[in-house]
Amino acid sequence: MSAPTPSRSFCGLRHGATDWNRQGLFQGRTDNPLNEDGLRQAHEAAYLLRGVGISRIVASPLVRAAKTAEIIADAIAVPLTIDAGIIELDFGSFEGLPVRDLMIKHGVDSATGLVSILPADGENWEAMAERSLACVSAWLDNYSGDHLLFVCHDAVMQGMAKSLSGSYFKNSHGTPFGYVRDGAGWRIEQIVT
């Protein structure tokens, strides 16, 4: 499989935190709401993004991403659309289990290692990266005059980063990142205002 390459730079943001995030559990498609920390992170992200020039937001349908996006869209007065193309990876039988325990059990200590132990009953990592990049690419092509922000999930953002730049990055809840097209290559950089 070969993931599509977006035509231009875009922004991504991991939703605010949930209780399962704080407990270190695989969350995937389990539709948990933001906790108090997550709501605060969404408002902080909205404040950070006020001067960046975002003109349209696309969010995953899962409530933690959709609510984060709604808070930001309301604060910066831009349109928001929900698109299942950037929904979180389905972790299959890992859903609800402790990430750290499974990493220890399988002897892995990195994102690459974690991807290598994902269960066969979940979504394929490369297929997730491909569908996410196809979604982003379509939005970028259809709204060529807009500066887009995609509010989604860690696995989605990491899968896109790995496909585009060749590496993973440290991704925190409610922290905006630019996926920057730099000539023929890509880099992921935190947005600081």
Side-chain angles (χ1 to χ4, degrees):
M1 282 188 272
S2 176
T5 300
S7 57
R8 58 192 172 93
S9 301
F10 61 95
C11 296
L13 180 107
R14 184 182 185 185
H15 60 80
T18 69
D19 287 345
W20 277 27
N21 290 130
R22 292 297 176 239
Q23 295 165 23
L25 305 177
F26 280 101
Q27 193 161 216
R29 301 280 175 86
T30 303
D31 205 7
N32 293 316
L34 298 174
N35 61 20
E36 288 304 312
D37 280 344
L39 290 167
R40 178 185 48 76
Q41 290 161 344
H43 286 285
E44 288 172 356
Y47 180 79
L48 273 173
L49 289 165
R50 283 179 206 261
V52 174
I54 299 297
S55 55
R56 181 175 299 276
I57 299 174
V58 180
S60 158
L62 295 175
V63 69
R64 59 192 184 267
K67 182 64 176 176
T68 301
E70 178 186 311
I71 289 168
I72 297 167
D74 286 350
I76 64 174
V78 300
L80 165 63
T81 306
I82 302 298
D83 192 320
I86 53 172
I87 197 169
E88 179 62 304
L89 179 76
D90 179 349
F91 286 103
S93 54
F94 278 13
E95 295 261 336
L97 299 178
V99 176
R100 175 63 47 210
D101 291 358
L102 286 166
M103 290 178 76
I104 291 168
K105 177 182 176 182
H106 292 277
V108 299
D109 61 1
S110 68
T112 302
L114 183 59
V115 168
S116 75
I117 65 166
L118 293 174
D121 64 353
E123 185 178 13
N124 175 276
W125 183 264
E126 288 77 21
M128 177 272 302
E130 186 173 326
R131 79 157 152 83
S132 300
L133 284 168
C135 175
V136 166
S137 294
W139 278 97
L140 292 171
D141 291 347
N142 291 330
Y143 292 88
S144 59
D146 282 327
H147 184 37
L148 285 112
L149 169 67
F150 296 88
V151 179
C152 50
H153 309 274
D154 190 38
V156 170
M157 291 178 69
Q158 297 292 357
M160 292 192 302
K162 179 73 169 168
S163 291
L164 295 173
S165 73
S167 62
Y168 298 113
F169 67 105
K170 181 170 174 34
N171 191 9
S172 300
H173 295 280
T175 302
F177 286 89
Y179 287 68
V180 181
R181 188 164 190 156
D182 191 11
W186 288 81
R187 68 181 188 281
I188 316 304
E189 57 187 32
Q190 185 173 336
I191 296 171
V192 180
T193 57

